């Protein structure tokens, strides 16, 4: 019997257990081979894009395998803990910033409410000894077993029974494109390594050649390609002069350990691609814009998180210290580069390099943007840079809380609309603020009297500010996805689809807004009498205010200053 794998691949799915992928911190068991069936036409098509898998497609396998490589993870992270510090005054903020810098600690996330810091349990006494007495009592552990949480974030070598469930056989074997992506595409059931993501992108180009093209942004420090998917339908009327093509860039994975950003961008791309011809709204968005999806701008670092260090953040290029590799790509761009603060410390997680654009991948991306503008008739009108975590929508500027962007009102308006669209996906609240205020510890006084406190790390040299100020992209945002600290960078794979739906809702709203209808109108999929496009009013946008409030969300986190949607 032919494996379900053929149907999965025909729908754009993948099974990473069958592919040649980087070694995980566990070993996939081997099984005795049985007689293989002669290759069918579907198998040949699959092999053309994916290579030949092991000939054990129809075998019975155990539901789960042991992961003996856990000792590797335990040895690296068994003595670490992530602490959340609640800050209440400027003195505490300054002390925490100075201490994390002097001890070279890994700052996971920080905003106006808290700071999450990974630290060795042996270093905790030293850390607390350098902090004010108030902070010594104002911290709580986020994860009691960091090593286990890291270990669990890797896909388990599960081998489900390939036969369909009796009540679900139609869905399991249906090749129809109108089946929701999360019910047919096992690609989104787990996080995927780069050795799966890139062939999956090539397969999408082959399956949807009318509106999908594979593009190469450039080459990484270690020689890998930075691949993207350009999604769009160009007009064919040669009588009309060709105008600059309005283009929106959606990127993820600048920081290697933020796996959910790579998965979210991939989900958004797949949802848009498979909507062409089925949804008037999606078709219109692809006719009006080119959408360039880059699942990871940092392929070297992403591979390293699969092979060696799950919590690696930077790229993998050499520095002037042989044992401290990597540049923080989101601190390496030329606009307001602030590398002097980390210039003497390549071991810093925020090391910006010794000069602007020293980060190889950020340099390649910036050059690609310029080349598209100057030589390929592209006009970049939108930039969405996905990260994790903290559930925030951030607009320029990141380098300074003093300088105000000239299009502030438009940025705030669209940002609040994005938050509303995201909330409609799964009722999650995302905050909206400037990237500086979202990444700085700030007082909770009235906005008029609000004082900004010391930053834990620099915000200069970001892709967000570079795209907005230097490349004149009017609508540029950095969006930090789930969650708010329960798992941080180690978000379980069950969150991929719900988070992906939030990404897709944000993309849809972003496109509608740029069409000129402020995101309020949507395309009617019912046919019109003359075949023309029909717009219908969506539910009116509710009033959006930012208001202090304490609530307990479904993960038991305390949220303050949450986005209140009324």
């Amino acid at each position: 019997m032919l494996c379900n794998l053929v149907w999965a691949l025909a729908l754009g799915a993948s099974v990473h257990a069958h592919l040649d992928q980087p070694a995980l911190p566990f070993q996939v068991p081997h099984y005795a081979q049985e007689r293989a069936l002669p290759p069918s036409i579907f198998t040949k098509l699959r092999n053309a894009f994916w290579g030949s898998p092991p000939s054990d497609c129809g075998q019975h396998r155990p539901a789960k395998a042991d992961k003996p490589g856990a000792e590797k993870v335990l040895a690296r992270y068994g003595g670490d803990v992530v602490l959340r510090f609640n800050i209440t005054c400027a003195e505490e903020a300054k002390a925490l910033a100075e201490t994390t810098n002097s001890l070279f600690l890994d700052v996971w996330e920080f905003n106006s409410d808290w700071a999450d810091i990974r630290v060795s349990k042996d270093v905790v006494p030293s850390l607390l000894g350098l902090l004010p007495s108030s902070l010594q009592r104002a911290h709580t552990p986020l994860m009691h077993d960091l090593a286990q949480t890291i270990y669990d974030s890797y896909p388990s070598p599960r081998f489900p029974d390939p036969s369909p469930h009796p009540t679900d056989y139609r869905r399991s074997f249906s090749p129809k494109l109108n089946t929701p992506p999360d019910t047919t595409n096992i690609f989104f059931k787990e996080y995927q390594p780069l050795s799966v993501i890139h062939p999956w992108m090539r397969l999408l180009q082959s399956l949807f050649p009318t509106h999908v093209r594979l593009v190469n942004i450039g080459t990484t420090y270690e020689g890998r390609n930075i691949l993207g998917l350009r999604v769009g339908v160009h007009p064919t009327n040669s009588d009309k002069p060709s105008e600059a093509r309005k283009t929106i860039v959606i990127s993820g994975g600048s920081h290697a350990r933020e796996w959910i950003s790579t998965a979210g961008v991939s989900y958004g791309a797949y949802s848009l691609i498979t909507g062409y011809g089925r949804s008037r709204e999606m078709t219109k968005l692809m006719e009006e814009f080119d959408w360039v999806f880059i699942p990871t701008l940092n392929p070297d670092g992403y591979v390293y998180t699969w092979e060696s260090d799950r919590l690696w953040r930077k790229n993998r290029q050499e520095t002037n210290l042989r044992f401290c590799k990597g540049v923080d790509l989101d601190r390496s761009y030329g606009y307001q580069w602030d590398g002097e603060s980390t210039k003497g410390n390549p071991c810093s997680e925020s090391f910006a390099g010794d000069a602007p654009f020293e980060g190889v991948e950020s340099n390649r991306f910036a050059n690609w943007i310029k080349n598209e503008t100057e030589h390929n008739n592209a006009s970049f009108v939108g930039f969405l840079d996905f990260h994790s975590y903290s559930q925030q929508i951030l607009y320029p500027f990141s380098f300074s809380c003093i300088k105000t962007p000239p299009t502030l009102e438009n940025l705030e308006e669209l940002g609040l609309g994005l938050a509303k669209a995201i909330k409609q996906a799964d009722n999650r609240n995302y905050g909206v603020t400037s990237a500086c205020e979202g990444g700085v510890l700030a007082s909770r006084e009235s906005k008029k009297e609000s004082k900004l406190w010391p930053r834990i790390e620099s915000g200069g040299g970001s892709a967000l500010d570079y795209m907005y100020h230097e490349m004149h992209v009017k609508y540029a945002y950095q969006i930090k996805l789930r969650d708010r600290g329960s798992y941080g960078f180690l978000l379980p794979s069950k969150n991929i689809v719900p988070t992906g739906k939030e990404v897709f809702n944000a993309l849809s709203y972003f496109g509608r807004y740029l069409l000129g209808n402020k995101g309020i109108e949507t395309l009617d999929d019912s046919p019109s009498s003359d075949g023309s496009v029909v717009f219908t009013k969506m539910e009116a946008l509710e009033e959006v205010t930012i208001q202090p409030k304490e609530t307990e969300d479904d993960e038991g986190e305390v949220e303050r200053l949450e986005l209140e949607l009324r």
Side-chain angles (χ1 to χ4, degrees), residues 6-194:
V6 172
W7 288 110
L9 286 174
L11 291 164
S14 64
V15 179
H16 61 263
H18 288 285
L19 299 175
D20 182 15
Q21 61 178 341
L24 306 182
F26 54 80
Q27 297 297 323
V28 178
H30 296 281
Y31 300 94
Q33 294 185 355
E34 294 181 356
R35 183 174 60 86
L37 293 172
S40 69
I41 187 172
F42 295 104
T43 303
K44 293 177 180 178
L45 176 62
R46 174 202 63 199
N47 294 347
F49 303 109
W50 294 81
S52 301
S55 58
D56 55 358
C57 184
Q59 289 184 226
H60 172 71
R61 299 169 179 156
K64 188 175 181 179
D66 293 333
K67 297 189 284 188
E71 293 83 1
K72 180 179 179 181
V73 178
L74 184 63
R76 183 184 290 271
Y77 297 110
D80 288 3
V81 63
V82 179
L83 300 179
R84 169 163 292 183
F85 289 86
N86 297 306
I87 315 297
T88 59
C89 65
E91 290 73 20
E92 291 179 353
K94 181 179 180 180
L96 188 61
E98 292 175 349
T99 302
T100 54
N101 287 332
S102 63
L103 296 179
F104 306 123
L105 299 181
D106 180 10
V107 179
W108 275 30
E109 187 58 64
F110 58 97
N111 59 24
S112 59
D113 296 311
W114 38 259
D116 295 344
I117 299 172
R118 177 172 68 90
V119 60
S120 170
K121 294 175 184 177
D122 296 335
V123 179
V124 171
S126 300
L127 168 63
L128 297 180
L130 295 173
L131 298 176
S133 58
S134 57
L135 274 183
Q136 296 175 12
R137 300 184 299 271
H139 67 276
T140 55
L142 289 183
M143 299 174 198
H144 294 284
D145 193 341
L146 178 61
Q148 184 64 48
T149 307
I150 291 173
Y151 186 54
D152 291 342
S153 71
Y154 288 95
S156 297
R158 298 185 179 93
F159 303 100
D161 185 353
S163 61
H165 191 275
T167 61
D168 202 33
Y169 70 94
R170 290 183 180 175
R171 186 180 67 186
S172 298
F173 285 90
S174 173
K176 295 180 180 179
L177 292 179
N178 60 359
T179 309
D182 52 292
T183 63
T184 64
N185 199 330
I186 57 177
F187 183 86
F188 300 111
K189 297 300 182 185
E190 298 277 8
Y191 293 107
Q192 305 292 350
L194 193 71

Side-chain angles (χ1 to χ4, degrees), residues 515-529:
L515 281 175
N517 55 32
K518 307 295 184 183
I520 298 174
E521 293 178 328
T522 184
L523 289 169
D524 186 359
D525 285 338
S526 59
S528 61
S529 58

Side-chain angles (χ1 to χ4, degrees), residues 171-288:
R171 186 180 67 186
S172 298
F173 285 90
S174 173
K176 295 180 180 179
L177 292 179
N178 60 359
T179 309
D182 52 292
T183 63
T184 64
N185 199 330
I186 57 177
F187 183 86
F188 300 111
K189 297 300 182 185
E190 298 277 8
Y191 293 107
Q192 305 292 350
L194 193 71
S195 59
V196 171
I197 294 174
H198 279 182
W200 176 80
M201 294 170 71
R202 293 187 181 97
L203 184 62
L204 288 178
Q205 175 186 236
S206 301
L207 292 175
F208 304 98
T210 58
H211 55 287
V212 179
R213 286 193 298 123
L214 195 68
V215 295
N216 189 357
I217 307 302
T219 306
T220 69
Y221 176 80
E222 293 183 340
R224 295 180 176 88
N225 290 327
I226 306 171
L227 297 184
L229 290 172
R230 184 187 292 273
V231 181
V233 182
H234 291 227
T236 57
N237 185 1
S238 57
D239 296 332
K240 184 177 180 180
S242 178
E243 298 179 352
R245 180 68 172 175
K246 292 177 289 185
T247 304
I248 301 168
V249 177
I250 302 97
S251 64
S254 290
H255 294 146
R257 60 190 176 186
E258 297 168 8
W259 284 7
I260 191 60
S261 68
T262 296
V265 170
S266 300
Y267 189 98
Y270 183 82
S271 299
L272 184 67
I273 289 169
T274 55
Y276 179 70
R278 293 168 35 205
S279 163
R280 283 176 177 255
E281 180 178 333
M282 295 301 102
T283 303
K284 179 68 173 177
L285 292 179
M286 281 180 270
E287 290 173 346
E288 294 295 326

